[in-house]
Structures are given as structure tokens and as C-alpha cells.
Amino acid sequence: MALPTISCPKCHQTSRQTKAGFTPAGSQRIKCAHCSCRYTPTPQEVGYDEEIRLQALHLRLDGFTLREIGRLLKINHQTIANWMHDYTAYLPPTLPESISDMARMDGLI
Ligand SMILES: [Zn+2]
């Protein structure tokens, strides 16, 4: 996935801005190689907002398939699959069992 043009909030460089994992909420984090600061670009720059992600997660927990959720929310089901994959990495150890089972059933992990 190509990153939109982003600039470091500290040194304002636009080059060497690399992905540095995700926040617990699922937002992309960026690391600036010039000044070593880490930051999260505004949600508009990384795509869908948290509300839609959570809605997708809840629908998944209700038993909808990724394709059904994709149709309901008008989002590519592969995008939703990516979100689910992100959540399995960040949810606390008690919850994710069921979610990672689902992800496994969906062939994500
Ligand atoms: Zn910087």
C-alpha cells in the first residue's frame, strides 16, 4: 500500500518517512528517519476512521462474513481483512481468541 505524501511534524521532511507499526486503535504510525520521532498522521491520511473499523469488527463478531461486511459498509473486503488482522495483533489476550479463530477461519493467519 503506497503511503500518501506525509511530512514529519517536527522536521517537516517528506522523505524517509517509514511505517512503524500501528497504534492500539489501529492507526498507522510513522517514523521519521531524519529526527527519529514517531507520529501518527491524521486519520484522513490513513483511510477509514475508527468508527467504521469498530463497526466492521462488531459485525464480524456477530458472525457476518468479510464479504457481507464489505457490502454493508461499502468497503473492499480485503481492507476489512487487513483491519481484522491488525486487531488480532493488538487486542488484549483475553478477547482475541475468538477473533483470531475467526481470522484463521478466514484464512488470514
Ligand atoms: Zn522528522
Side-chain angles (χ1 to χ4, degrees):
M1 188 178 74
L3 284 174
T5 305
I6 47 176
S7 58
C8 173
K10 267 193 186 171
C11 67
H12 305 292
Q13 294 279 353
T14 52
S15 63
R16 298 176 69 198
Q17 307 297 308
T18 55
K19 291 184 182 185
F22 293 88
T23 66
S27 299
Q28 179 75 58
R29 283 179 64 73
I30 305 292
K31 185 179 187 227
C32 172
H34 297 281
C35 69
S36 295
C37 79
R38 286 162 188 270
Y39 61 96
T40 305
T42 57
Q44 286 87 340
E45 284 176 331
V46 295
Y48 301 97
D49 62 26
E50 295 303 314
E51 211 170 307
I52 297 178
R53 284 170 174 255
L54 282 173
Q55 207 179 338
L57 181 68
H58 285 138
L59 286 168
R60 189 68 192 93
L61 288 170
D62 283 343
F64 288 88
T65 67
L66 295 177
R67 282 168 198 279
E68 285 168 341
I69 298 167
R71 268 200 301 275
L72 281 168
L73 301 180
K74 298 184 171 35
I75 297 167
N76 187 297
H77 68 268
Q78 188 56 51
T79 303
I80 299 166
N82 292 340
W83 296 347
M84 296 303 142
H85 194 263
D86 294 343
Y87 276 114
T88 61
Y90 281 101
L91 284 170
T94 45
L95 241 179
E97 261 319 295
S98 59
I99 296 173
S100 34
D101 282 350
M102 286 178 181
R104 208 170 292 127
M105 282 189 292
D106 290 332
L108 299 177
I109 49 176

